[in-house]
Every structure is written in C-alpha cells, then in structure tokens.
Amino acid sequence: MSGKVEGTTSRTRLDRGRGALGPALELVHTGRAPTRAVLTAELGVTRATAGAVAAELEALGLISVDARPGAAAGSQGRPSHRLDVAEDGPVVLAAQVHADGFRAALVGLGGRIAATAPGCETIDADPAKVLGSVVEAGADLLRDTGRRCVGAGLAVPSAVAEPEGLALNPLHLAWPAGAAVREIFAERVQAAGIAGPAFAGNDVNLAALAEHRHGAGRGARDLLCVATGHRGVGGALVLDGRLHTGSSGLALEVGHLTVNPEGRPCHCGSRGCLDVEADPLAFLTAAGRDPGPEVSLLQQANDLIRDHYTDPAIRTAAETLIDRLGMGLAGLVNILNPDRVILGGLHRTLLDADPDRLRAVVADRSLWGRSGSVPILACTLDHNSLVGAAELAWQPVLDDPLGSLT
C-alpha cells in the first residue's frame, strides 16, 4: 500500500511541476543548475518537486542525475545530486553557410558538438543545391552515429527577414536577394527524413545567442556582439536572454555603419562601412598581401596577425583596422549602452593582438566607454554560429520538453 501512495505522491509532485520542465531544462542546458539544490532554488519549488522534475527530464533522455550526491570541496550543508545534459541524448542538425563553404554538425544540449562533417569549400549560386548538400552531410552523420534528431537549424551570412525566412542580402554569396532559405532548408530536411522543425537565422545573431548561453556572454543582460564572418561584418544584440531582431528580423546591421567617409565603396551603396573597412579582405589589402586560394580569407588574416605581428606592415594594417573597429564600437556603445561587448572572427584576433589599443579607442570616443564600465571580451566558442543554429532547433524542446519529445 505504501508503494502505491508513494507513486501517487510522486505523480502529484510532477503534475505540480509540469510547467517547470522547460525552465528546468534550460537551467541545466545553460549550466546554471549544476545540482538539484541549485535547481530547487532557481525554480522556487520544493525539493521534492524539483526531484520529480529532474527525474522526468532524465526519463525523457535529456539530462543525467548523479545517483550518488556529493558535496563540492569546501561546501557546507547537505550534498546534492549533480545534474548534467545526457551524453547520449538527442541531437539537432546544425548547418552553417558562409562565403568560403559550408559545414554540418550534430549538436546536443549544452551546446556540445557531438559530430561534424568535413566542410565544403565551394558555394553554388543555387541555394537549393547548397542546402541540399549540407542537409545530406547532416543526414550521413545521423546515420553514422545513430543519434535521435529533434530538429534542424541553419546559419547564413545574411539578414533573414521574418516571418517569411528570406535571406535579404547574401552579399558575399552569389545567391539571389530574397532567397527563401528557411523554406528550402525545411524542404530538404523533410526530404532527408530528418525529424523535427527546421529554422534559419543570421550567422552573427546566432553566434551571439550561443555565446550568451554557453560562452563569453553568459550572465550579461544587454549583450552586444560584433564579428567578422569570412567576409563582411555583422552585429547582434541579446536583451534579457532573447535576441533583439527588430520588427522584421533586420535589426543590428552594424556592418553598414560608416567609419571612414572617404573609404572603400560598400555593397550597400555607401562608402567606408565597417563591412569593407574591418573584415579579412580589408586587412589583407591594407597589409599588402594578395589573398591566396588555399585557405579562407579569415584564416589567412588570422594567421598573419598571430604569426607575424612584429612585421611593421602587418602591425600597421592591424592598427588601422582596430581604429576603424573602435570607432564603430564607440557609436554602438553610445546608442545601445550594453553591459558587455564580445568580438568574434577576425575582431577577436585583433582584440587579442592589442587589447589596450582597441579599448582606448572605444573609451576615447564613447561617453559610456570613458567610465570603464563596458567590458570588451573575445568570443570563446570556436563554432558559435553552428551552436547558435542548434539553439534555434533546441528552443521548442526547451519551451515544452514533454510535448516536443512524446
């Protein structure tokens, strides 16, 4: 009789905590609830209800609960069960297309990349062919690993207009403006027999989302991300944990801030935009180097700065880009007042090479920067756009774990 009562009590606790499944999963997913005790406190529920919620997420194959609770060194109080994402749990297909190729990966909860396919280094002018190829690469990974897939996400180097999912300005691809990338991607995912919904977004937006949940942006309330892709410059803003994409998905096109009025002509029709003054091609040109076809422009630029920064021509070119970037960041800081700025791609390498110069330029030209209250940090995830694409696909599961998986 006692077993029946105990089972009924457990089901009652779970029923009470059913609405906490999603918030609980997100806390574990982002590393903010490493133990059941922390989960209890963050959710504001009883220990028993938190235990029932954790057990249900474990039964769904999403998290693991340490069967033998232990206390961290130096901690006080009752030991608590450790929580982590399930090592062999479901994955999502993440895909990224950029000017120098594409890549597919399988990404689990916690932003953990479980498998990657060899990257392709050529991009066809037909988006349907490219997206078909990247989905095929992902399908091969799923067959090889035998993992369960619950969705797919795509990162593209273009503003993606909502609600249609159109790539409005794939400037560094030969794709037509307004390509229906989300619809094409979803069709290819379905045709490949891959389960779950499909999503698409701008690559820097998704990099910012990934960094906010798993990297250098964790804990920031108003996070500004600026990054070079393989070509061009993009920006993103995360407010209270959510991407700020504007009324139709087109916010934060920071690449078209003018930082050199007499500078290079830009694709947008203006001159001296960040997009053409602070990207890998701009650096290689300023350094007097002819880009070679062997590796991507981004890698060539990064390698020059990391390996040859003592070369006067390389250092002068880097300082020019740092000054241009700093001008753009100062304007953004004045307008947005973020509590943290993170830099990716070539900008991360420039920050590492001369952090004092970049921070001084921003402080000198920014009202808020002078106070020293705006940290400028490097992104920490090597494949943040891929991880961010995965975050799109994981979101329905984070919102409703039970409904998404059963």
Side-chain angles (χ1 to χ4, degrees):
M1 183 69 178
S2 62
K4 183 176 180 180
V5 171
E6 184 177 331
T8 301
T9 302
S10 179
R11 283 195 300 274
T12 300
R13 288 171 182 153
L14 179 58
D15 289 341
R16 290 174 181 166
R18 188 83 65 186
L21 285 174
L25 181 59
E26 184 163 339
L27 286 166
V28 178
H29 171 62
T30 55
R32 289 178 291 154
T35 68
R36 206 167 73 182
V38 176
L39 182 68
T40 301
E42 289 288 335
L43 293 177
V45 298
T46 65
R47 288 178 55 237
T49 297
V53 168
E56 179 69 6
L57 292 175
E58 186 176 37
L60 290 170
L62 296 171
I63 73 169
S64 63
V65 182
D66 189 352
R68 300 183 64 183
S75 65
Q76 296 181 348
R78 191 172 182 175
S80 181
H81 296 272
R82 293 199 62 80
L83 307 176
D84 201 354
V85 298
E87 287 287 338
D88 57 352
V91 293
V92 298
L93 166 61
Q96 181 182 8
V97 177
H98 52 73
D100 294 309
F102 66 72
R103 181 174 292 276
L106 303 182
V107 183
L109 285 166
R112 299 178 185 177
I113 298 177
T116 58
C120 172
E121 297 180 356
T122 58
I123 292 295
D124 194 274
D126 181 357
K129 289 184 179 179
V130 177
L131 298 182
S133 296
V134 75
V135 169
E136 183 179 341
D140 288 341
L141 287 176
L142 288 169
R143 283 190 289 271
D144 292 343
T145 61
R147 302 287 287 269
R148 178 186 179 185
C149 186
V150 297
L154 169 69
V156 293
S158 168
V160 177
E162 298 296 343
E164 300 89 353
L166 308 179
L168 289 190
N169 60 340
L171 297 177
H172 303 292
L173 305 177
W175 291 1
V181 290
R182 188 171 62 211
E183 180 181 348
I184 297 169
F185 183 60
E187 289 173 350
R188 296 302 183 271
V189 166
Q190 185 177 22
I194 297 173
F199 304 88
N202 170 262
D203 53 1
V204 179
N205 275 352
L206 299 182
L209 182 61
E211 292 284 346
H212 186 268
R213 291 183 175 180
H214 308 293
R218 185 180 289 173
R221 180 177 177 182
D222 299 323
L223 175 69
L224 172 64
C225 175
V226 176
T228 50
H230 286 246
R231 290 288 304 278
V233 175
L237 186 65
V238 180
L239 301 177
D240 290 327
R242 299 291 178 183
L243 276 172
H244 174 70
T245 56
S247 61
S248 56
L250 308 181
L252 271 291
E253 280 291 302
V254 305
H256 300 291
L257 287 174
T258 299
V259 293
N260 182 16
E262 305 303 319
R264 300 175 177 87
C266 183
H267 312 277
C268 71
S270 185
R271 299 185 72 90
C273 297
L274 266 179
D275 210 55
V276 292
E277 295 288 337
D279 81 335
L281 182 60
F283 171 74
L284 293 170
T285 302
R289 301 299 179 99
D290 292 325
E294 297 82 12
V295 297
S296 72
L297 298 180
L298 177 60
Q299 184 175 334
Q300 291 178 61
N302 282 337
D303 289 346
L304 275 178
I305 294 172
R306 288 168 179 158
D307 300 336
H308 302 285
Y309 199 66
T310 56
D311 182 322
I314 303 302
R315 188 181 186 95
T316 298
E319 289 176 347
T320 298
L321 258 72
I322 288 170
D323 292 348
R324 300 279 190 252
L325 174 61
M327 289 177 63
L329 290 178
L332 291 167
V333 167
N334 283 336
I335 295 168
L336 300 173
N337 187 28
D339 59 6
R340 194 178 310 175
V341 177
I342 59 173
L343 303 178
L346 178 62
H347 296 165
R348 175 171 69 171
T349 307
L350 291 169
L351 177 65
D352 290 342
D354 198 341
D356 292 339
R357 185 182 185 96
L358 179 61
R359 292 181 176 124
V361 173
V362 175
D364 184 56
R365 294 178 173 270
S366 165
L367 177 64
W368 311 123
R370 292 192 196 105
S371 69
S373 62
V374 187
I376 302 175
L377 306 174
C379 290
T380 57
L381 303 177
D382 288 333
H383 301 288
N384 49 23
S385 290
L386 267 180
V387 174
E391 291 297 316
L392 289 182
W394 274 117
Q395 194 59 53
V397 180
L398 296 174
D399 291 339
D400 183 9
L402 200 60
S404 297
L405 299 182
T406 58

